Amino acid sequence: MSTEERHRRIGDLLRHREHVTVDELATECGASGATIRRDLDVLELHGVLRRVHGGARSLVLRGGNPEYGQRELEDHTVKVRIATGVAALLEDRGHVWLDSGTTATEVARQLRHRELTLMPMSLRAVNVLAEGCPAAGRRPELLLPGGSLIAGEQSFRGPMTESNIRSLRFDTAVVTPCALNLRDGLLAHDLDDAAVKRAGLESAGRVIVACSGSKWNASAVALVASLDAVDVLVTDRHFSPEELAQLAQHSVEAVIV
């Protein structure tokens, strides 16, 4: 098992358990205790867990939103597929609003060499786009929203952020909700995050939602928008004929990757 695979396995175990021991992880991952201890040290630095004597504890509150470092480990291959699908829907020289979150960061990686004007909602995406830009040739132009920067998430929030978004008009908004269902539409775990997402999609001519199947029918407290606000849903979920019919009633095109 590679280092990346071990990290993902440890993160997955801590999604469902409050505590794991080094010995349990060594057996689970087929690695030595020393290797697991180094893995735990790295994952603690990334905010995935808290090291305790003999093992690690989860930082995820029951029913809460996992920290960015934890979410970054989840469904990574799926997020790359979704990001690739989103990038294929964007035309060069367009103006794009890009949400915050781990899936949005993967979308940013796909857009590093595209001729687009982008307003990313997180410093993580900004860094991906800035570091990936060549000195010459095709590269995006970046607009920064300003506002308050949320530690950990490194995302922009607050009235200044919302005001700056609403002062512009975008061809496309790429929205990454925390949860999604047919009854409520797009949801977020945080009220301020929901307000920023709402400002982004309301300032765009087209709304693309990038959302893994794991978020389908999940729960979150803050309503962002109904499905009527969505034009395209890019996901790995394979819908039933009934679900596809309901999406069609809301004029949502489903792109399965």
Side-chain angles (χ1 to χ4, degrees), residues 152-228:
E153 292 293 314
Q154 294 187 21
S155 58
F156 297 101
R157 306 277 176 84
M160 183 184 296
T161 303
E162 296 169 41
S163 177
N164 287 340
I165 294 169
R166 293 185 187 279
S167 70
L168 300 173
R169 291 296 176 265
F170 302 92
D171 299 308
T172 303
V174 178
V175 184
T176 56
C178 303
L180 174 67
N181 63 62
L182 288 167
R183 183 190 67 186
D184 300 315
L186 314 182
L187 302 167
H189 288 296
D190 179 271
L191 294 175
D192 290 336
D193 182 33
V196 169
K197 293 179 189 302
R198 193 155 48 245
L201 67 85
E202 289 176 354
S203 299
R206 177 179 64 158
V207 174
I208 298 175
V209 169
C211 183
S212 67
S214 62
K215 296 181 180 180
W216 187 258
N217 288 331
S219 61
V221 68
L223 178 64
V224 176
S226 70
L227 284 176
D228 292 329

Side-chain angles (χ1 to χ4, degrees), residues 9 20 38 65 101 158 171 229:
R9 182 58 182 151
V20 290
R38 288 194 295 271
N65 186 32
D171 299 308

Side-chain angles (χ1 to χ4, degrees), residues 111-150:
L111 302 178
R112 286 176 295 180
H113 307 298
R114 296 284 300 276
E115 293 183 56
L116 295 163
T117 299
L118 292 167
M119 178 178 272
M121 289 300 105
S122 79
L123 277 185
R124 297 179 191 275
V126 170
N127 290 332
V128 164
L129 290 161
E131 292 171 0
C133 289
R138 293 158 60 91
R139 58 180 178 175
E141 177 184 349
L142 301 183
L143 302 175
L144 301 189
S148 300
L149 188 66
I150 305 303

